[in-house]
Amino acid sequence: DYSFVKAHILEQCSIYQPKCIAFDRKFSPYIVPELEDEGIEMSPFGQGYYEMSYPTKEMEKAIVSGKVIHGGNRCLRWQMSCVKIDRDPADNIKVTKNRNKQGQQVDGVVAAVMAFGEMLKDTSDEMTLEIITL
């Protein structure tokens, strides 16, 4: 239900005031124009190796060094346990799910990588990554 999702996004934006929201072009043609009409900056974010590799590698470094805190979110913790990292011949990486197991989900982790990628585009001195789950 796009109206529910839109209302939730608008509510979260009023609380967190993000600079922009990254989105997957493939699954968002209906909701993106409506959010842009509400004044929210939207940023297309490819799901291939090229666009996902750098933010995935940087997020991994931040996680290992203790700079990313997810607040004990059980859903995100479970999804992190489902993550498999795929690598292309050029050593680019991206998050995928372990397809050998039923019921694996990594959507929250992919969304976090996309948010991290948007954060990395910011050249200001102070950057904050908030992981918001629906």
Side-chain angles (χ1 to χ4, degrees):
D1 181 357
Y2 286 107
S3 62
F4 173 81
V5 173
K6 177 185 170 187
H8 186 74
I9 291 171
L10 292 173
E11 177 185 334
Q12 295 302 306
C13 285
S14 71
I15 296 167
Y16 295 101
Q17 300 170 355
K19 290 184 179 183
C20 72
I21 297 176
F23 68 93
D24 179 354
R25 291 180 294 266
K26 185 175 181 182
F27 297 111
S28 54
Y30 303 107
I31 198 166
V32 168
E34 291 186 20
L35 292 170
E36 288 174 330
D37 288 346
E38 296 285 344
I40 298 170
E41 184 179 335
M42 302 297 291
S43 177
F45 204 101
Q47 303 298 296
Y49 288 102
Y50 176 76
E51 195 147 10
M52 295 298 280
S53 186
Y54 179 67
T56 302
K57 289 176 180 180
E58 292 300 309
M59 189 169 129
E60 180 181 31
K61 287 179 197 174
I63 290 169
V64 169
S65 68
K67 294 179 182 175
V68 174
I69 300 169
H70 63 76
N73 184 287
R74 294 184 319 177
C75 182
L76 189 58
R77 182 183 304 273
W78 167 68
Q79 287 192 16
M80 286 295 280
S81 75
C82 300
V83 166
K84 177 179 177 271
I85 298 293
D86 277 353
R87 191 173 304 272
D88 74 1
D91 203 34
N92 293 307
I93 65 171
K94 70 177 187 172
V95 169
T96 61
K97 56 186 163 186
N98 185 348
R99 298 198 187 273
N100 295 331
K101 297 180 180 179
Q102 287 284 55
Q104 301 291 303
Q105 294 295 322
V106 297
D107 298 322
V109 178
V110 171
V113 169
M114 292 168 65
F116 208 85
E118 288 302 307
M119 183 187 73
L120 292 170
K121 291 178 186 177
D122 187 349
T123 58
S124 68
D125 291 337
E126 215 170 299
M127 294 186 282
T128 303
L129 175 65
E130 295 259 359
I131 298 175
I132 303 168
T133 56
L134 292 176

